[in-house]
Amino acid sequence: MISADSVRDLRVSRPREYLMCPPERFAVAYSINPWMDPAAPVDTDRALAQWTGLRDLLVELGHTVYTLAPLPELPDMVFAANGAFSVDGTVFGARFRYPQRTAEAGAHERWYTASGWRYVPAAHVNEGEGDFAYVPAAHGGVVLAGYGYRTEPPAHAEAQEVFGRPVVSLRLTDPRFYHLDTALAAISDDNVAYYPDAFSPASRRVLAELFPDAVLADEADALAFGLNLVSDNKHVVLPAEAAGMAAKLGAAGYAPIPVDLGELKKGGGSVKCCIAELRA
């Protein structure tokens, strides 16, 4: 049997490019997911310090991080993953479900367009990488797409036309896991981790068929936002609270790196929510 240490030694990290937005305007001023409580105090300085630590860690790991400037009256812009979804140099824009976040889409469009990306606006409601994940070396390159709470199923067909990649629709059934990226993550170019009970029985069967070697999370892992992670094929950055998930990933041969994003969790997000991957 090959040990987890041996697998870890064989894994090679792949440098990535990311877009992030500092939480200088972060607040919980409204509630649009089960994690948000406007009555709970939020420490914006602490949130910014935690975010800065995450950004600096990504740079230390060899990744490139671009910054999107936060705008007034948009406290959720720190969750940059929700603003778009990119594959092969094309960006599929977000169209937010809730009016409190609508203007974020325009800020992302301006950044991507100014940066030279091919930007395609959305006709249907979708929340970017919140509900889309790309697994480039699985099944020729497949997009996994969540629906049930935020993104509309017609947006999945729209994304397939935009990217020319197969899109697999997965129905989320637990409101605590309102975005796909709270219930599933790409942990390498050919594999995922996910929490089965966040999905409908049919979607669980599809995931089991597509990813028989997936790392499976339990409820405690998912509630700790242990699937809201970012991986470079070797290093997996995830919330420090998700110790159980870190152990599972370590046993599978990955190198988990815990970070504290507890202040940002008050807005219903963690590591992945803060990071949009730029796939040129």
Side-chain angles (χ1 to χ4, degrees):
M1 173 180 275
I2 300 176
S3 70
D5 288 340
S6 297
V7 173
R8 191 175 302 112
D9 290 341
L10 292 172
R11 292 196 182 278
V12 177
S13 61
R14 178 166 62 80
R16 313 285 178 118
E17 293 190 340
Y18 298 125
L19 178 65
M20 299 178 67
C21 180
E24 295 169 2
R25 313 281 185 172
F26 179 63
V28 180
Y30 45 78
S31 180
I32 58 173
N33 69 58
W35 303 90
M36 300 177 81
D37 179 4
V42 171
D43 187 334
T44 303
D45 290 339
R46 183 167 182 261
L48 182 58
Q50 292 175 347
W51 179 93
T52 301
L54 173 61
R55 180 202 59 195
D56 292 350
L57 172 62
L58 295 172
V59 172
E60 289 171 12
L61 291 173
H63 307 304
T64 300
V65 178
Y66 298 93
T67 302
L68 176 67
L71 298 176
E73 310 305 324
L74 294 175
D76 279 342
M77 272 189 73
V78 62
F79 301 128
N82 302 154
F85 175 59
S86 64
V87 176
D88 298 333
T90 294
V91 177
F92 181 42
R95 190 180 183 92
F96 286 90
R97 175 166 297 280
Y98 289 102
Q100 292 93 332
R101 300 196 67 183
T102 299
E104 292 181 40
H108 282 264
E109 180 177 4
R110 290 188 292 275
W111 188 90
Y112 283 103
T113 301
S115 301
W117 291 78
R118 174 178 176 259
Y119 185 93
V120 180
H124 298 284
V125 171
N126 83 84
E127 298 201 342
E129 283 198 313
D131 274 323
F132 289 107
Y134 185 49
V135 196
H139 310 286
V142 65
V143 175
L144 305 178
Y147 72 98
Y149 297 101
R150 296 293 187 85
T151 295
E152 297 175 344
H156 297 179
E158 191 178 4
Q160 183 164 277
E161 291 301 311
V162 168
F163 297 120
R165 298 281 185 180
V167 175
V168 177
S169 294
L170 303 167
R171 184 163 72 91
L172 296 162
T173 57
D174 186 328
R176 296 173 299 176
F177 311 110
Y178 61 96
H179 272 155
L180 183 69
D181 69 4
T182 64
L184 178 146
I187 53 174
S188 69
D189 285 344
D190 62 0
N191 203 10
V192 302
Y194 66 96
Y195 172 46
D197 287 352
F199 297 92
S200 69
S203 293
R204 290 199 294 270
R205 290 194 295 271
V206 169
L207 284 168
E209 178 71 22
L210 292 176
F211 300 101
D213 299 320
V215 175
L216 300 183
D218 60 25
E219 184 179 39
D221 298 326
L223 289 174
F225 274 43
L227 291 161
N228 198 247
L229 58 80
V230 166
S231 174
D232 62 12
N233 281 334
K234 180 175 183 175
H235 309 102
V236 182
V237 182
L238 76 168
E241 183 183 348
M245 192 67 208
K248 292 180 176 73
L249 291 164
Y254 296 87
I257 303 176
V259 295
D260 180 11
L261 287 185
E263 203 64 24
L264 291 171
K265 188 180 179 184
K266 296 176 181 178
S270 192
V271 175
K272 179 66 191 103
C273 289
C274 292
I275 301 167
E277 184 169 347
L278 307 175
R279 303 177 185 87

